[in-house]
């Protein structure tokens, strides 16, 4: 049974494309470790990464914490994370993954040093999730919800085409699912305000930073197609976005012309210290 405050539609929209998600999405940058460990004031004993997906933000901690547990409700995403764990040469004993929900975490009260949500907090009921995070954090523990900005910084025409593709997908999805159990997400701009308004943290702020990763046309296109709204639409009506995807892909390929570029990825992190 899904705990109250969670949406089955939110969880199900990520079914079936764990491989594409893992292939194209950015890994969490190492600066996350430095920022959060500094706020904690020491090396963390236990880090919990909730809504961890395929573990892109979980494996980051395998050399920087005594233990890290990724928590993910979607079984397809969780299976990919566990598959990657089985292939890990070193540090596997530090990392674990469990199925679970953000407002019903499998941790003892005041047992966790750092809790993170990478690209996931906007899918969670903020009230019940923040209450549960506060319960699990030790005094002085750190919560961080961080996201990268979409689209990746590249070129105005390409970014505008990306935004049109997403908008078209969202509009078509709404037409195909009138009155259905729609996936709900909370605006990321409100994360910091909700953390402060909860009254559960002694300190809160936003931190902005960037990372750089290699990107070619295939990856840029893959990042767009890995977005939850597009994947949901393709499951319902694969042909409805065919022309838009073809036009977007052609424009991206013409821009890259076979090149691999170093692309900046901007991040916004909302931090709360208990």
């Amino acid at each position: 049974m899904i705990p109250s405050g969670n949406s089955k539609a939110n969880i199900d929209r990520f079914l079936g494309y764990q491989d594409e998600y893992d292939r194209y999405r950015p890994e969490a940058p190492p600066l996350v470790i430095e920022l959060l460990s500094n706020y904690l004031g020491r090396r963390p004993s236990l880090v919990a990464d909730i809504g961890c997906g395929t573990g892109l933000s979980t494996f980051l901690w395998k050399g920087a914490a005594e233990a890290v547990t990724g928590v993910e409700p979607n079984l397809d995403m969780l299976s990919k994370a566990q598959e990657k764990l089985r292939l890990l040469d070193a540090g596997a004993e530090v990392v674990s993954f469990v199925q679970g929900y953000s407002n019903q975490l499998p941790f003892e009260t005041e047992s966790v040093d750092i809790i993170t949500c990478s690209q996931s907090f906007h899918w969670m009921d903020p009230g019940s999730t923040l209450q549960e995070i506060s319960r699990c954090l030790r005094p002085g523990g750190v919560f961080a919800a961080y996201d990268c900005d979409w689209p990746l910084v590249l070129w105005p025409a390409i970014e505008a085409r990306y935004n049109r593709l997403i908008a078209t997908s969202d509009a078509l999805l709404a037409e195909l699912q009138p009155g259905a159990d729609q996936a709900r997400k909370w605006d990321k701009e409100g994360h910091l305000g909700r953390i402060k308004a909860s009254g559960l943290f002694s300190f809160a702020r936003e931190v902005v930073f960037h990372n750089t990763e290699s990107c070619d046309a295939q990856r840029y296109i893959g990042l767009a197609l890995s977005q939850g709204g597009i994947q949901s639409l393709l499951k319902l009506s694969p042909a409805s976005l065919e022309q838009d995807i073809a036009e977007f892909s052609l424009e991206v390929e013409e821009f890259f012309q076979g090149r691999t570029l170093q692309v900046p990825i901007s991040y916004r992190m909302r931090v709360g210290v208990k």
Side-chain angles (χ1 to χ4, degrees):
M1 179 178 178
I2 297 175
S4 175
N6 287 273
S7 166
K8 185 176 185 297
N10 283 9
I11 297 168
D12 287 351
R13 80 190 274 124
F14 295 103
L15 287 169
Y17 73 102
Q18 63 274 13
D19 291 333
E20 292 80 4
Y21 186 100
D22 192 68
R23 182 179 302 119
Y24 297 120
R25 291 292 185 106
E27 293 184 351
L31 184 57
V32 169
I33 294 172
E34 180 181 346
L35 289 170
L36 300 184
S37 296
N38 283 345
Y39 269 131
L40 182 66
R42 55 183 169 79
R43 177 184 171 92
S45 296
L46 176 59
V47 174
D49 184 30
I50 61 177
C52 69
T54 64
L56 291 170
S57 52
T58 313
F59 288 106
L60 173 76
W61 290 94
K62 70 180 178 67
E66 299 304 311
V68 55
T69 297
V71 181
E72 170 60 38
N74 182 287
L75 287 175
D76 285 357
M77 303 290 268
L78 184 65
S79 68
K80 184 66 178 182
Q82 292 170 330
E83 173 190 321
K84 291 162 64 179
L85 180 59
R86 288 192 293 271
L87 298 174
L88 199 64
D89 292 330
E93 69 281 357
V94 172
V95 184
S96 61
F97 292 97
V98 297
Q99 187 183 24
Y101 303 95
S102 63
N103 50 10
Q104 193 173 301
L105 296 171
F107 305 110
E108 298 293 330
T109 297
E110 296 187 354
S111 65
V112 186
D113 292 308
I114 294 173
I115 295 178
T116 60
C117 292
S118 174
Q119 310 278 62
S120 59
F121 189 52
H122 56 291
W123 295 115
M124 304 171 186
D125 175 72
S128 59
T129 296
L130 290 171
Q131 287 284 347
E132 182 68 345
I133 286 170
S134 178
R135 180 190 69 79
C136 294
L137 281 176
R138 293 188 174 113
V142 181
F143 167 60
Y146 61 99
D147 305 274
C148 63
D149 288 342
W150 304 116
L152 303 188
V153 178
L154 191 65
W155 184 253
I158 302 297
E159 294 177 43
R161 169 68 78 173
Y162 175 105
N163 289 330
R164 289 199 300 274
L165 180 64
I166 298 298
T168 299
S169 170
D170 289 345
L172 289 171
L173 193 60
E175 290 178 7
L176 287 170
Q177 294 183 311
D181 177 22
Q182 299 279 353
R184 180 182 179 186
K185 58 182 177 180
W186 284 260
D187 66 289
K188 297 175 183 179
E189 290 76 13
H191 285 349
L192 182 61
R194 286 184 280 270
I195 291 169
K196 289 181 175 180
S198 72
L200 299 169
F201 301 91
S202 63
F203 173 82
R205 67 158 294 170
E206 181 176 81
V207 181
V208 180
F209 56 96
H210 79 274
N211 191 40
T212 301
E213 290 193 18
S214 297
C215 186
D216 58 11
Q218 181 182 11
R219 187 180 187 196
Y220 203 88
I221 295 165
L223 281 168
L225 300 185
S226 78
Q227 299 301 318
I230 288 182
Q231 285 296 318
S232 295
L233 179 62
L234 292 178
K235 291 173 191 174
L236 290 171
S237 178
S240 62
L241 209 58
E242 186 174 325
Q243 183 64 32
D244 297 272
I245 291 174
E247 292 173 359
F248 171 74
S249 299
L250 179 61
E251 195 164 335
V252 171
E253 288 166 356
E254 288 177 347
F255 174 83
F256 276 93
Q257 296 183 347
R259 298 173 297 170
T260 297
L261 304 176
Q262 295 300 306
V263 176
I265 304 175
S266 54
Y267 286 84
R268 302 172 195 273
M269 174 184 282
R270 287 81 177 190
V271 179
V273 180
K274 186 175 174 182

